[in-house]
Amino acid sequence: DTAVSQTPKYLVTQMGNDKSIKCEQNLGHDTMYWYKQDSKKFLKIMFSYNNKELIINETVPNRFSPKSPDKAHLNLHINSLELGDSAVYFCASSQETGAGELFFGEGSRLTVL
Amino acid sequence: SQQGEEDPQALSIQEGENATMNCSYKTSINNLQWYRQNSGRGLVHLILIRSNEREKHSGRLRVTLDTSKKSSSLLITASRAADTASYFCATDPKEGYQKVTFGIGTKLQVIP
């Protein structure tokens, strides 16, 4: 069983479109995250949710809107996609209320044309 | 701001050799973690060392932490081709709730 699963794995779309990436974890963790990894492999935190409540929003453009319907799911919706949004987006979860071990999904590669 | 910086950014060694990667960070931390990322995959947690620990072992991995120098090292002994991956350090700063911050990574290639 996959611990943290995200879909889709690949997403190719045109500028200006709206797209969503879904994430689910079956680990029973309280905290979930979205990270963005750019072409240079730099991994930057975007959002963190604890038990459906937004904890961290790292000055991400408001075109990005995370939604957590329950603590096992954290989806990422992106409006009006731009070329610079092309990246690999990783969902992760952790058990501890502080930062312990993160469990990552396999990533969703977004390409904006 | 970026917290950890790994050094070197790329490392190529022969199978059987040891690989050492270093990480420096800027602010006080609760703990430091090392992760591995195989090409096209997600990150996998390797080891966590707390700020009051100086050294930790896990199999062929040895991690050291020097909080006075704000640095850590990851040693992989007797490397294997399967160890080829990118390695990232991640810090949990004392300031900043649940904000694990990653470095830029070291790309390790182990030549069979």
Side-chain angles (χ1 to χ4, degrees), chain A residues 17-79:
Chain A
N17 284 351
D18 303 338
K19 290 294 178 186
S20 292
I21 306 171
K22 295 186 176 181
C23 179
E24 175 182 4
Q25 54 96 2
N26 62 5
L27 298 167
H29 290 167
D30 286 335
T31 307
M32 296 184 72
Y33 311 79
W34 278 109
Y35 279 84
K36 178 181 179 180
Q37 187 174 45
D38 63 22
S39 58
K40 295 183 179 179
K41 302 298 183 185
F42 179 51
L43 201 67
K44 185 175 180 181
I45 189 168
M46 300 173 67
F47 301 103
S48 169
Y49 270 73
N50 182 271
N51 203 12
K52 302 192 299 177
E53 184 179 337
L54 180 65
I55 300 297
I56 295 172
N57 180 341
E58 279 294 293
T59 61
V60 177
N62 58 15
R63 297 183 296 103
F64 291 78
S65 52
K67 285 190 170 51
S68 183
D70 55 62
K71 74 172 194 176
H73 295 84
L74 180 61
N75 303 322
L76 183 65
H77 187 75
I78 315 170
N79 290 326

Side-chain angles (χ1 to χ4, degrees), chain B residues 73-89:
Chain B
S73 66
L74 170 67
L75 169 67
I76 304 174
T77 60
S79 63
R80 305 167 182 168
D83 294 328
T84 294
S86 291
Y87 291 82
F88 295 85
C89 70

Side-chain angles (χ1 to χ4, degrees), chain B residues 34-112:
Chain B
W34 284 91
Y35 288 80
R36 184 188 73 231
Q37 184 181 30
N38 289 84
S39 181
R41 307 295 299 273
L43 282 78
V44 174
H45 183 264
L46 295 175
I47 198 164
L48 180 152
I49 186 166
R50 301 195 184 281
S51 60
N52 61 353
E53 297 175 310
R54 291 297 166 257
E55 189 170 312
K56 204 160 184 181
H57 296 255
S58 176
R60 293 184 295 113
L61 306 181
R62 173 179 168 249
V63 169
T64 61
L65 179 64
D66 187 334
T67 53
S68 66
K69 295 181 179 179
K70 292 187 170 58
S71 67
S72 173
S73 66
L74 170 67
L75 169 67
I76 304 174
T77 60
S79 63
R80 305 167 182 168
D83 294 328
T84 294
S86 291
Y87 291 82
F88 295 85
C89 70
T91 50
D92 168 25
K94 285 188 186 295
E95 300 291 329
Y97 179 59
Q98 296 185 359
K99 187 177 169 182
V100 172
T101 307
F102 286 79
I104 58 175
T106 293
K107 191 168 184 177
L108 173 66
Q109 181 185 25
V110 180
I111 302 167

